[in-house]
C-alpha cells in the first residue's frame, strides 16, 4: 500500500460508512482492484480508518451525543452483542475480510432486502407523520435488539449502518430515528473494533513503520472530512426517498463484481 492508495480507500470509507452499501465491502473490492497485497496491515487499515469516519458523528451531533447518561447506557446495551460475537468469531471475520465473493453475494442479498424495506415498514413513517413526537425515544430492549442486528455486518458486504437501521425499523422506529441511533452506536462499536484490531496486531509481533503510521493518520483525517459531508446528505435523502436507490445500487454492483470475478479476472486480496 502506498499513500495514494491509502487516500483512495479513505475517501471510499468516508462516502460509504453511513450508506447502507457496506464500507468494508467497498474497501475490500477497491483493494482487490488496486492489487494491494494481502497482509495484516491492510486488514488493520480497513478497520482503523473507519474510526475517523465515525467520529464525524460526534462533531455533527455533539449536542445529542452528550445529552444524558441514560443515552450512554443504551448505547452500551446495544454494543454488547458486537463485543461478545466479535470475540467469539474473530478468526472467522478475519477470513471473510479476504473474500470479495462474500462481499458480492452479501451486496445482492442486502439489495433485495432494501428494495422491500420501505414497503414493509411504511406504517412506521405514516404513524410518525401523524405523531411527530412518537418513536423518538429508544428503550433498552430496543437498543439490545438493534445491537443484534448490527452483528450481521460482521459479514463483509452486509453494511453495519444498513443492518442496524433495518433493525431499528423492525421495532417500529422511523427511518430517520433508526439511522441516527445507528450512527451513534457506531462510535463505541468502531472504537472497540479499532482497539481490538490494534491489540491483535501488536500481539502478533507486528510493528508499524513510519510510512504505515502516516497512512493511518492521513486515512483517518480524509475519512473524517469526507464523512462530514456524506452523513448529512444521507440523512436528508433517506428521510425523503427511502432505501430503494441503495437497493438497486447494491444489486447492480454485486452482480458486476461476480461478472468481473468469473469472466474477466479473479478478484483476490
Amino acid at each position: 500500500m502506498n499513500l495514494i492508495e491509502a487516500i483512495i480507500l479513505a475517501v471510499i470509507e468516508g462516502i460509504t460508512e453511513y450508506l447502507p452499501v457496506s464500507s468494508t465491502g467497498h474497501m475490500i473490492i477497491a483493494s482487490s482492484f488496486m492489487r494491494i497485497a494481502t497482509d495484516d496491515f491492510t486488514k488493520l487499515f480497513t478497520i482503523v480508518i473507519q474510526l475517523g469516519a465515525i467520529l464525524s458523528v460526534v462533531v455533527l451531533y455533539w449536542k445529542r451525543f452528550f445529552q444524558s447518561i441514560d443515552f450512554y447506557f443504551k448505547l452500551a446495551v446495544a454494543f454488547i452483542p458486537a463485543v461478545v460475537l466479535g470475540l467469539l468469531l474473530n478468526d472467522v471475520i478475519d477470513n471473510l475480510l479476504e473474500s470479495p465473493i462474500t462481499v458480492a453475494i452479501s451486496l445482492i442479498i442486502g439489495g433485495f432486502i432494501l428494495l422491500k424495506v420501505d414497503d414493509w415498514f411504511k406504517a412506521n413513517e405514516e404513524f410518525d407523520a401523524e405523531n411527530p413526537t412518537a418513536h423518538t425515544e429508544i428503550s433498552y430492549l430496543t437498543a439490545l435488539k438493534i445491537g443484534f442486528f448490527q452483528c450481521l455486518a460482521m459479514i463483509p458486504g452486509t453494511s453495519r449502518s444498513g443492518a442496524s437501521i433495518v433493525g431499528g425499523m423492525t421495532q417500529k422506529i422511523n427511518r430517520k430515528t433508526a439511522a441516527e441511533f445507528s450512527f451513534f452506536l457506531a462510535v463505541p462499536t468502531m472504537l472497540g473494533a479499532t482497539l481490538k484490531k490494534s491489540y491483535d496486531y501488536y500481539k502478533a509481533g507486528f510493528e508499524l513503520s513510519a510510512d504505515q503510521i502516516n497512512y493511518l493518520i492521513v486515512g483517518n483525517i480524509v475519512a473524517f472530512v469526507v464523512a462530514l459531508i456524506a452523513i448529512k446528505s444521507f440523512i436528508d435523502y433517506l428521510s425523503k426517498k427511502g432505501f430503494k436507490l441503495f437497493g438497486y445500487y447494491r444489486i447492480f454492483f454485486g452482480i458486476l463484481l461476480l461478472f468481473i470475478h468469473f469472466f474477466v479476472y479473479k478478484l483476490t486480496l
Side-chain angles (χ1 to χ4, degrees):
M1 180 185 296
N2 57 45
L3 182 59
I4 299 300
E5 291 169 340
I7 291 174
I8 292 173
L9 290 179
V11 170
I12 292 171
E13 162 58 24
I15 293 173
T16 59
E17 177 60 44
Y18 297 106
L19 305 183
V21 297
S22 177
S23 60
T24 302
H26 277 70
M27 285 192 288
I28 290 172
I29 297 303
S31 297
S32 180
F33 274 114
M34 290 188 289
R35 298 300 189 188
I36 297 176
T38 300
D39 57 32
D40 289 272
F41 176 72
T42 300
K43 294 178 183 178
L44 176 70
F45 183 86
T46 58
I47 297 297
V48 171
I49 66 166
Q50 293 182 56
L51 183 61
I54 293 301
L55 290 179
S56 64
V57 170
V58 180
V59 173
L60 288 173
Y61 293 93
W62 66 272
K63 288 184 179 179
R64 294 184 60 186
F65 195 79
F66 297 103
Q67 57 186 293
S68 68
I69 295 296
D70 183 63
F71 175 71
Y72 298 125
F73 285 146
K74 289 176 181 177
L75 287 182
V77 168
F79 178 47
I80 289 172
V83 174
V84 175
L85 291 180
L87 291 174
L88 290 176
L89 301 176
N90 184 61
D91 292 338
V92 175
I93 296 168
D94 242 18
N95 291 330
L96 289 176
L97 286 173
E98 299 180 6
S99 176
I101 298 308
T102 299
V103 173
I105 294 172
S106 297
L107 283 169
I108 294 170
I109 294 173
F112 280 109
I113 292 173
L114 290 186
L115 289 181
K116 302 301 295 181
V117 161
D118 293 323
D119 295 330
W120 290 341
F121 303 110
K122 186 177 181 180
N124 293 5
E125 308 304 317
E126 293 175 346
F127 180 81
D128 284 285
E130 298 172 0
N131 303 271
T133 60
H135 298 155
T136 56
E137 275 297 316
I138 293 177
S139 69
Y140 283 96
L141 180 58
T142 296
L144 181 63
K145 290 178 180 178
I146 293 174
F148 277 110
F149 269 91
Q150 179 182 240
C151 291
L152 293 173
M154 291 178 181
I155 304 171
T158 300
S159 172
R160 189 208 59 77
S161 63
S164 51
I165 291 171
V166 172
M169 292 173 71
T170 65
Q171 305 307 303
K172 303 186 184 302
I173 299 171
N174 65 32
R175 289 188 299 248
K176 186 174 185 293
T177 301
E180 290 178 349
F181 187 78
S182 167
F183 299 161
F184 297 141
L185 178 56
V187 176
T189 300
M190 294 317 304
L191 178 59
T194 296
L195 293 174
K196 177 65 168 59
K197 197 67 179 177
S198 300
Y199 172 76
D200 290 343
Y201 188 81
Y202 282 102
K203 186 179 179 182
F206 299 109
E207 292 186 3
L208 294 172
S209 67
D211 284 341
Q212 289 174 332
I213 292 173
N214 287 334
Y215 298 162
L216 288 173
I217 293 173
V218 172
N220 271 285
I221 293 173
V222 171
F224 173 81
V225 173
V226 174
L228 282 174
I229 301 170
I231 185 171
K232 296 296 287 185
S233 300
F234 172 59
I235 284 291
D236 291 340
Y237 181 88
L238 184 65
S239 299
K240 298 174 182 176
K241 303 291 186 179
F243 286 102
K244 279 190 169 55
L245 176 64
F246 303 107
Y248 286 123
Y249 170 79
R250 288 178 64 106
I251 294 169
F252 170 78
F253 191 40
I255 292 174
L256 178 63
L257 292 176
L258 290 177
F259 176 81
I260 292 172
H261 179 78
F262 289 111
F263 298 103
V264 182
Y265 67 87
K266 186 175 182 180
L267 294 170
T268 57
L269 265 183

